[in-house]
């Protein structure tokens, strides 16, 4: 990175504690850094352990080696990454006087947030396609959703995320930053960082709108369209099938709205930044990675049974006959 393009070596992150919207959201207690530290630390541990449990369950239980659970395991991995690009630093900053991040660290956060969000958008579309094939084309499901197809879908999701984030960075890394360095957020949010550049950022913001808008709106439209097709398909089958499909899709639509809503609001209209943007950013960086395990896993009987078996196997006391011979001999 050319040092001549910048004189700012670090950025100051204002974080969350100065946001009155978040103070109202956390019932007026979020002004206390210790409360925020404990609250988000617990949430982060739940995110990592919950999604890690899903990954372990999907990979270790043979009955879950199917396209749906393969995609779910990849979604859990993306959720862990999504929650980890900025949340640990935000938690540490609650108890830190100097909430700073280096220039390269700021660029890295921009890179990872767009990589993971772009990848998750396409991965959610892949999961919607899996549901569409399972419900609308059940006789061809095994042929269409082969292991090769699932692998390609996952690779495409990461490729789209990579192209998306590299195109966003191409607008940012060459900007001259020669003075203002205060970012009113808990991470380096692209619209807010762009406004700190020492030039008219109007053209850059248009490019951000086009880039983020095409990805967000197109994937959101595909998700809504697939859900509508599924509902129309089961409408003509039976009331029981309709109720089951509606229950599944209602939970899915909840995740989609909580994830896509803030992304579209923040990145499709970046010309004006609002204080509430920080609250919206919390949804797709912290709350959505928690909701995904709850909605896609705890509502699934097969997944709950597999988790119960794994926890029983690893937590119950071992019988002498089940202990490896080498370990057994060392006990005597």
């Amino acid at each position: 990175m050319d040092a001549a393009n910048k004189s700012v070596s670090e950025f100051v992150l204002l974080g969350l504690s100065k946001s009155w919207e978040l103070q109202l959201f956390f019932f007026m207690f979020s002004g206390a850094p210790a409360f925020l530290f404990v609250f988000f630390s617990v949430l982060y541990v739940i995110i990592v352990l919950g999604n890690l449990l899903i990954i372990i369950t999907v990979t270790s239980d043979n009955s879950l080696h199917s396209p749906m659970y393969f995609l779910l395991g990849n979604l859990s991995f993306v959720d862990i990454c999504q929650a980890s690009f900025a949340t640990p630093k935000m938690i540490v900053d609650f108890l830190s006087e100097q909430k700073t991040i280096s220039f390269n660290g700021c660029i890295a956060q921009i890179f990872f947030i767009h990589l993971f969000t772009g990848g998750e958008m396409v991965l959610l579309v892949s999961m919607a396609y899996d549901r569409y094939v399972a419900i609308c084309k059940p006789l061809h499901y095994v042929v269409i959703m082969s292991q090769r197809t699932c692998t390609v879908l996952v690779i495409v999701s990461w490729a789209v995320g990579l192209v998306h984030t590299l195109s966003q960075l191409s607008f940012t890394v060459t900007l001259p930053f020669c003075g203002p360095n205060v970012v009113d957020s808990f991470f380096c949010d692209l619209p807010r960082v762009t406004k700190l550049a020492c030039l008219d950022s109007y053209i850059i913001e248009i490019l951000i709108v086009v880039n983020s808008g095409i990805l967000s709106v197109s994937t959101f439209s595909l998700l809504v369209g697939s859900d509508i097709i599924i509902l129309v398909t089961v409408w003509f089958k039976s009331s029981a099938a309709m109720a089951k499909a509606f229950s599944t899709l209602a939970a899915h639509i909840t995740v989609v709205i909580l994830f896509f809503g803030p992304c579209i609001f923040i990145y499709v209209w970046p010309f004006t930044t609002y204080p509430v943007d920080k609250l919206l950013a919390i949804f797709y960086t912290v709350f959505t990675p928690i909701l995904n395990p709850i909605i896609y896993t705890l509502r699934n009987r097969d997944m709950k049974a597999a988790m119960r078996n794994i926890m029983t196997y690893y937590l119950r006391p071992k019988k002498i006959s089940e202990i490896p011979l080498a370990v057994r001999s060392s006990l005597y």
Side-chain angles (χ1 to χ4, degrees), residues 211-223:
N211 190 318
S212 299
I214 290 176
L215 179 61
S216 302
V217 176
S218 61
T219 51
F220 181 75
S221 301
L222 288 172
L223 287 169

Side-chain angles (χ1 to χ4, degrees), residues 313-330:
Y313 176 79
Y314 285 105
L315 296 181
R316 69 182 174 87
K318 297 286 186 181
K319 297 179 181 178
I320 295 296
S321 59
E322 296 175 341
I323 300 176
L325 182 60
V327 178
R328 202 186 314 168
S329 61
S330 66

Side-chain angles (χ1 to χ4, degrees), residues 12 55 65 68 74 82 105 126 136 144 149 192 205 208 217 220-221 225 237 251 260 279 284 296 306 320 328:
V12 178
I55 296 173
H65 291 176
M68 179 180 70
N74 281 274
Q82 177 85 351
S126 300
C136 300
I144 296 176
T149 301
R192 295 177 183 272
E205 290 173 340
I208 294 175
V217 176
F220 181 75
S221 301
K237 292 186 176 181
F260 279 86
L279 176 60
Y284 69 84
Y296 290 113
I320 295 296
R328 202 186 314 168

Side-chain angles (χ1 to χ4, degrees), residues 6-12 100-106 177-181:
K6 63 182 180 69
S7 60
V8 173
S9 60
E10 64 180 16
F11 292 94
V12 178
T100 60
I101 184 172
S102 67
F103 184 89
N104 291 333
C106 184
F177 296 94
C178 54
N181 68 334

Side-chain angles (χ1 to χ4, degrees), residues 5 7-8 10-13 103 106 175-185 187-201 205 273:
N5 289 336
S7 60
V8 173
E10 64 180 16
F11 292 94
V12 178
L13 303 175
F103 184 89
C106 184
L175 290 176
F177 296 94
C178 54
N181 68 334
V182 178
V183 181
D184 187 14
S185 184
F187 70 99
C188 286
D189 200 7
L190 183 58
R192 295 177 183 272
V193 173
T194 301
K195 289 186 176 297
L196 299 178
C198 301
L199 50 73
D200 186 1
S201 60
E205 290 173 340
T273 56

